[in-house]
Amino acid sequence: MIKGFKEFIMRGNVIDLAVAVVLGTALTAVVDRIVSGLINPLISMLGGQPSLSSITITINNAVFHIGAVLDSIITFVIIAAAVYFVIVVPMNKLIERRKAGLEPEPEPSTPEAELLTEIRDLLKERSSN
């Protein structure tokens, strides 16, 4: 059980996921600062409100925090754009290069390699029985 857990933890995708969570958290902090430090002052300059979150609409004593929703939408769009332009676009270009044939073709197998493959397969069959 411990061995299985160790193999699970050492897989690349678990480590990649951990890195993604850490980077996502850091990116969220940066975007929050951009929204609060740049976008909100611009909106304040244009609309007279100190931030989007202070914009509300009241209908029949029900208060709707429209500004908070708009603030979240702007934050989401900035994060999505950052992820797209920093991660997705470069990965797509890398995939295109690989598909263009920049990777060498595998060498044809030799008779010795085929014999070793057969021996390996027979040993696997014997150990599974």
Side-chain angles (χ1 to χ4, degrees), residues 13 30 46 97-98 100 108 116:
N13 52 0
V30 169
L46 297 174
R97 287 181 186 167
R98 286 186 178 172
L116 288 171

Side-chain angles (χ1 to χ4, degrees), residues 48 66 82 96 103 109-110:
I66 301 298
E96 283 179 27
E103 290 185 8
S109 62
T110 61

Side-chain angles (χ1 to χ4, degrees), residues 109 111-123:
S109 62
E112 292 86 12
E114 289 177 16
L115 180 61
L116 288 171
T117 303
E118 288 178 26
I119 293 170
R120 181 198 67 205
D121 294 341
L122 288 171
L123 288 172

Side-chain angles (χ1 to χ4, degrees), residues 31-101:
V31 170
D32 285 341
R33 297 296 179 241
I34 290 171
V35 170
S36 65
L38 296 175
I39 294 175
N40 284 345
L42 287 173
I43 292 170
S44 174
M45 187 174 64
L46 297 174
Q49 296 287 336
S51 73
L52 283 177
S53 59
S54 64
I55 299 173
T56 59
I57 297 175
T58 304
I59 301 174
N60 293 334
N61 294 327
V63 179
F64 296 92
H65 298 277
I66 301 298
V69 173
L70 291 174
D71 191 33
S72 295
I73 291 171
I74 290 171
T75 302
F76 172 77
V77 169
I78 293 172
I79 290 173
V83 168
Y84 179 75
F85 290 111
V86 173
I87 297 172
V88 174
V89 170
M91 286 301 296
N92 286 342
K93 290 192 186 255
L94 179 65
I95 291 170
E96 283 179 27
R97 287 181 186 167
R98 286 186 178 172
K99 286 184 179 178

